[in-house]
């Protein structure tokens, strides 16, 4: 007899390693809910900037996060980020928005408030959650933890491709520089720095086609969901 119960899948790694693409595909393959925690940090950075709140002002940022509502609906096949009834999906996807997200993510008050929400969102299982600290902090008991990496050049090329797909301009060397700056800030911060959980599966996606990684992750996930099937 096989015992199938919905699990938590944590996908962590640096910017551009393929987390979003793979987490979405995996969620679709398994009929799970996909949760993009980076979008939450990006939205906090965006709203703080719009409201003139300092990106290092812990108490003010805590007040801001407390009042925000987050929703991630699929609209015509696209995942949208709705914060306080405002569709910020495009506004959060700029290089400045990425760096602002990384900066507010250093603030302990922001992290603890968002982590608490993320735990509630995944409490029932059946989720693929992507971020930087999902396997280490948000769900250290996740049944499957994946840490995706890739070279900075490859990640830069992917980021440029995504931007061009959205009709945005970009210069590869500038993007690689921004990626490296963000990696450094994310992995050297004091609270919940970006690092693989000890029990995560490490996958370097530099040379692997997306479909290969998709199949690897799907096989791993099925094995954890129903160990009898592995
Ligand atoms: O995944 P992303 O590029 O959208 O994330 C934007 C920033 O948010 C990232 O540079 C660091 C921060 N972040 C974080 O600290 N913890 C997470 N779980 C997700 C993102």
């Amino acid at each position: 007899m096989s015992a199938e119960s919905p699990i938590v899948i944590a996908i962590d790694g640096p910017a551009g390693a393929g987390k979003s693409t793979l987490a979405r595909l995996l969620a679709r393959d398994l009929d799970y809910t996909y949760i993009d925690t980076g979008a939450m940090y990006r939205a906090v950075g965006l709203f703080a900037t719009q409201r003139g709140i300092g990106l290092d002002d812990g108490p003010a940022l805590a007040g801001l996060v407390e009042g925000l509502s987050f929703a991630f609906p699929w609209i015509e096949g696209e995942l949208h980020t709705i914060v306080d009834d405002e569709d910020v999906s495009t506004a959060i996807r700029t290089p400045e928005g990425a760096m602002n997200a990384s900066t507010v993510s250093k603030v302990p008050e922001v992290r603890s408030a968002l982590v608490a929400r993320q735990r509630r969102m995944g409490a029932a299982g059946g989720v693929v959650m992507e971020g930087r600290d999902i396997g280490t902090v948000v769900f250290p008991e996740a049944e499957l933890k994946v840490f995706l990496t890739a070279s900075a050049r490859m990640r830069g090329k992917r980021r440029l491709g995504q931007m061009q797909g959205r009709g945005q301009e970009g210069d590869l060397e500038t993007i690689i520089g921004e990626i490296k700056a963000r990696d450094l800030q994310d992995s050297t911060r004091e609270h919940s720095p970006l690092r693989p959980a000890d029990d995560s599966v490490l996958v370097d996606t530099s040379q692997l086609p997306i479909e290969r990684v998709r199949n690897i992750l799907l096989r791993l996930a099925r094995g954890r969901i129903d160990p009898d099937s592995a």
Side-chain angles (χ1 to χ4, degrees):
M1 212 182 77
S2 68
E4 247 195 53
S5 50
I7 65 167
V8 172
I9 300 176
I11 311 265
D12 290 304
K19 297 188 304 291
S20 301
T21 306
L22 287 157
R24 280 169 207 225
L25 287 170
L26 195 57
R28 195 179 309 159
D29 288 339
L30 297 169
D31 201 14
Y32 273 25
T33 302
Y34 162 70
I35 300 169
D36 174 7
T37 62
M40 299 170 83
Y41 289 94
R42 284 172 184 258
V44 173
L46 178 72
F47 276 64
T49 314
Q50 285 175 351
R51 295 179 193 182
I53 297 171
L55 299 183
D56 58 353
D57 184 344
L61 288 169
L64 169 70
V65 177
E66 201 179 320
L68 294 180
S69 67
F70 294 90
F72 301 101
W74 289 92
I75 302 171
E76 292 173 5
E78 293 287 330
L79 188 78
H80 286 245
T81 302
I82 313 283
V83 184
D84 271 9
D85 296 328
E86 190 184 328
D87 192 333
V88 296
S89 316
T90 310
I92 58 174
R93 302 283 161 205
T94 64
E96 193 196 350
M99 205 55 197
N100 288 345
S102 175
T103 301
V104 293
S105 78
K106 292 197 287 183
V107 178
E109 288 93 335
V110 172
R111 299 211 71 82
S112 58
L114 290 185
V115 166
R117 282 170 186 244
Q118 291 154 12
R119 286 190 179 137
R120 282 201 294 278
M121 294 164 108
V127 295
V128 181
M129 192 174 283
E130 72 149 283
R132 302 290 188 290
D133 61 340
I134 311 305
T136 50
V137 175
V138 182
F139 283 107
E141 307 302 326
E143 285 85 351
L144 175 59
K145 300 178 191 176
V146 179
F147 194 89
L148 297 177
T149 57
S151 66
R153 179 151 296 272
M154 188 56 86
R155 292 189 283 128
K157 283 186 181 166
R158 288 183 188 147
R159 222 357 85 88
L160 179 61
Q162 286 167 352
M163 287 171 67
Q164 288 169 339
R166 288 194 292 264
Q168 295 169 333
E169 303 271 318
D171 166 68
L172 181 59
E173 297 307 324
T174 308
I175 294 172
I176 293 173
E178 286 165 355
I179 281 184
K180 286 185 175 167
R182 201 144 66 91
D183 282 357
L184 185 69
Q185 175 153 288
D186 290 346
S187 52
T188 55
R189 70 180 176 221
E190 190 182 348
H191 302 278
S192 314
L194 169 67
R195 66 168 181 83
D198 293 338
D199 53 351
S200 61
V201 179
L202 259 109
V203 183
D204 186 328
T205 65
S206 307
Q207 305 296 337
L208 289 175
I210 288 292
E211 280 306 313
R212 268 286 294 288
V213 186
R214 178 187 194 175
N215 287 333
I216 293 170
L217 299 190
L218 192 54
R219 216 174 34 242
L220 279 168
R222 293 218 164 107
R224 306 286 164 100
I225 293 167
D226 180 3
D228 293 345
S229 75

